[in-house]
Amino acid sequence: MGLYEASIRVKHECPYRRISERYPDLTIREWPLSDCQVLEITTETTPTDELLDEINEIGTVLYESADDNGYHVVTQSCLCSLEDSVIDRFEEHNCLYQSPTIYRQGWEHYTVVAFDSEDVRELLESLRSDREIELLSKTSISETQIPHSMLAPANQLFEDITDRQLAALQLALENGYYEQPRKTSLRDLAEQTAVARSTYEEHLRKAENKLLTNAGQFLRLVTATSTTDPLGIEDGRRTEQAAD
């Protein structure tokens, strides 16, 4: 098993892509969240009034600056639905999406990491069936080349974790529950809340289970090319097989 990184660009109907097509000097970087997107929009030229109007229509402006280096704005938007999106196709073909998506000159640029070259081939065939795409590069990479901090988008790690479960997890983390030795107990944590100890513990355990389950695909990616066995798992298996 190897790891492969593929860079592709795609054309399909998306407001961000169309804006980048109308303004060739513009670059849009998109970080998808669970129910919206955060966009970083930059251009080295002075934006026209028409462009500023379009940016204001995208969503809520969080940050804006203009100087001799150009125009820079960060906005939160909900224009592009992620249903049946390109990112959904990545997941269907076991390819891990690496944010951000970059929109420039009418193209959407994506980077994915896959366990198998065949997964990349099948993904490309799927995308070509209903949109214009180009494969820019596909390279074999080692685990040490992957920036692990960028592998796990927050919305995927915390998917399906409720607000109460997140609050229980945050309280435990901030009070040193996961430090060695522990600086607090479940009883002490529960006493800081308005719920019973059993209820708090249930929220915490469910949050832990969901977080570890969601992180599983990223854990497998990080360890995919490792040849070490620091816990001696294979030795234990061989011993069990010999005993049988």
Side-chain angles (χ1 to χ4, degrees), residues 166-183:
L166 283 173
L169 189 63
Q170 183 178 4
L171 181 64
L173 185 63
E174 291 179 348
N175 283 269
Y177 180 73
Y178 295 105
E179 296 181 19
Q180 293 294 332
R182 283 180 174 167
K183 294 184 178 180

Side-chain angles (χ1 to χ4, degrees), residues 92-204:
E92 291 171 3
H93 294 280
N94 303 314
C95 294
L96 186 60
Y97 162 68
Q98 301 287 279
S99 59
T101 301
I102 299 176
Y103 301 86
R104 184 159 177 81
Q105 298 181 348
W107 289 92
E108 304 169 33
H109 294 254
Y110 296 92
T111 299
V112 298
V113 173
F115 289 102
D116 195 315
S117 179
E118 185 68 12
D119 288 332
V120 177
R121 186 189 66 78
E122 292 178 356
L123 169 65
L124 296 176
E125 288 183 357
S126 174
L127 292 175
R128 287 193 179 105
S129 67
D130 58 7
R131 63 197 72 195
E132 182 180 355
I133 75 163
E134 290 184 13
L135 175 64
L136 301 178
S137 66
K138 187 182 78 170
T139 57
S140 177
I141 60 175
S142 68
E143 179 267 336
T144 57
Q145 292 176 284
I146 301 174
H148 296 166
S149 61
M150 297 300 293
L151 287 180
N155 63 305
Q156 294 186 37
L157 278 179
F158 296 101
E159 188 175 11
D160 297 328
I161 303 180
T162 68
D163 290 342
R164 289 188 176 185
Q165 291 164 5
L166 283 173
L169 189 63
Q170 183 178 4
L171 181 64
L173 185 63
E174 291 179 348
N175 283 269
Y177 180 73
Y178 295 105
E179 296 181 19
Q180 293 294 332
R182 283 180 174 167
K183 294 184 178 180
T184 189
S185 65
L186 287 173
R187 181 184 301 276
D188 292 338
L189 291 172
E191 287 178 352
Q192 299 182 51
T193 74
V195 301
R197 173 182 171 178
S198 59
T199 302
Y200 172 80
E201 184 174 1
E202 180 181 4
H203 290 322
L204 183 63

Side-chain angles (χ1 to χ4, degrees), residues 11-25:
K11 278 189 178 181
H12 79 296
E13 291 307 308
C14 175
Y16 311 145
R17 185 200 68 78
R18 291 197 296 271
I19 291 175
S20 74
E21 190 170 44
R22 289 193 294 272
Y23 302 95
D25 295 329

Side-chain angles (χ1 to χ4, degrees), residues 16 30-38 58-59 76-83 154-156 158-160 163:
Y16 311 145
E30 174 197 2
W31 285 267
L33 302 178
S34 58
D35 57 354
C36 65
Q37 300 89 45
V38 172
I58 287 178
Q76 181 174 312
S77 172
C78 298
L79 284 182
C80 275
S81 171
L82 295 181
E83 295 181 5
N155 63 305
Q156 294 186 37
F158 296 101
E159 188 175 11
D160 297 328
D163 290 342

